[in-house]
Amino acid sequence: MAAAPQHATDPATAAVLAGLDDLRPELEACYRDLHTHPELSGQEHRTAARAAERLREWGCTVHEGIGGTGVVGVLANGDGPTVLLRADLDALPVREDTGLPYASTATARDATGEQVPVMHACGHDVHVSCLLGAVGLLARARERWHGTLVALFQPAEETGAGADAMVADGLAARIPRPDVALAQHVLPAPAGSVGTRSGSFLSAADSLRITVYGRGGHGSAPQSAIDPVVMAAMIVVRLQTIVSRELAATQPAVLTVGSLRAGTTGNVIPESAEIQLNVRTYDEETRQRVLSAVRRIVQAECDASGATRAPTFEETSRFPPTVNDEQTTDRVAAAFAAHFGDRAGPAPLQTASEDFSQIPDAFGIPYTYWGIGGIDPRAFEEARRRGTVQQDVPTNHSARFAPVVQPTLDTGVSALVVAALCWLGGAGGDG
Ligand code: ZN
Ligand code: ZN
């Protein structure tokens, strides 16, 4: 492939993006409003209604309530390919600590009924605003492209339930069949940058709740009890040998025990202990290998302790791996290089996970998913020079994660438009 000349945005794309100056104030206001009013997974009623309202204003046919609060806007503009662009709607149970004037003070009841603080700590408010911006620009410049734009706003990404819920609710029968699906995520990288990656990009994630059973008793008489606390402690340590001793150095995986609970006081041996863990892998073979090693180790440690009952394993969430289609990614990467110049480049492999791929997989269509930066470029560069990026740059899910409004929004809107026009633009062919 010939190297694309720097900043050689094609005329159709340039004409569509020319509307951004006009739209920018509205998009920035929309972003701040969404940031101030975050909603938990599956509860995104206000956010979904705002999105639907905008989509209608711009002439889309709007489908609401797909898989709960999912919204899809369809903008049909003559013959041509159909491109699906996806944004996620939900926020997290995190107490915001950014100090921003538009910071969230919202609280809500989570799925267990507990009152929790809510924050857009993963930047899904950026995604929603950027997708609305892209639809707005394409709606205003219909003479510059042809085909069908499908703007999909997905609920409950953080719990891994939303994409699946939309698919199970008949998504495929309710919207035009796309030829390609595209999505993006704001990441702790310099704002203004975009990063693409062919093949594996995001890991698969499996979360398990494991309960091991002993025999409770008096803390003074361990000989008449079977101690599940010791059993669980041995398991936690031994599980760390899976990645270090059972996988090749070239086979990336992460295993984290995030919760370990047993007993209520110091002088009582409890009946059981509960371990919650999370596994990240990039291919099915490694995934199976790690998950079966978890079961083997837990079972063996229970046997070693003389456990009275077999351990129980409960899957609490599951995310598929995100594996970007090579041809689709090359096409988008070339357009990004032409438009963004040296602000576009390759993105590193991420250990985060996404359920986005379940949507293209439901249609059997290729997809690519890319990253955009959200951190003040000067602050990022300073941290890089000091070697303190890990400590000083707040990541997604941090209470201090605060993407700068610009150039983050401009970049996210432009990236979606540039990528969509790879198929919908006059020169893009038929996908
Ligand atoms: Zn997240
Ligand atoms: Zn996210």
Side-chain angles (χ1 to χ4, degrees), residues 88 90 122-124 127 157-158 185-186 353-354 369 396-397:
D88 36 14
D90 54 332
C122 203
H124 298 184
H127 308 166
E157 185 281 326
E158 295 292 353
H185 207 298
V186 61
S353 307
E354 255 287 349
Y369 181 95
N396 303 68
H397 292 207

Side-chain angles (χ1 to χ4, degrees), residues 35 94-100 103-104 119 394 398-402:
H35 191 86
V94 171
R95 190 180 307 282
E96 179 154 358
D97 186 25
T98 58
L100 292 169
S104 161
M119 172 191 175
S398 153
R400 294 185 299 115
F401 186 63

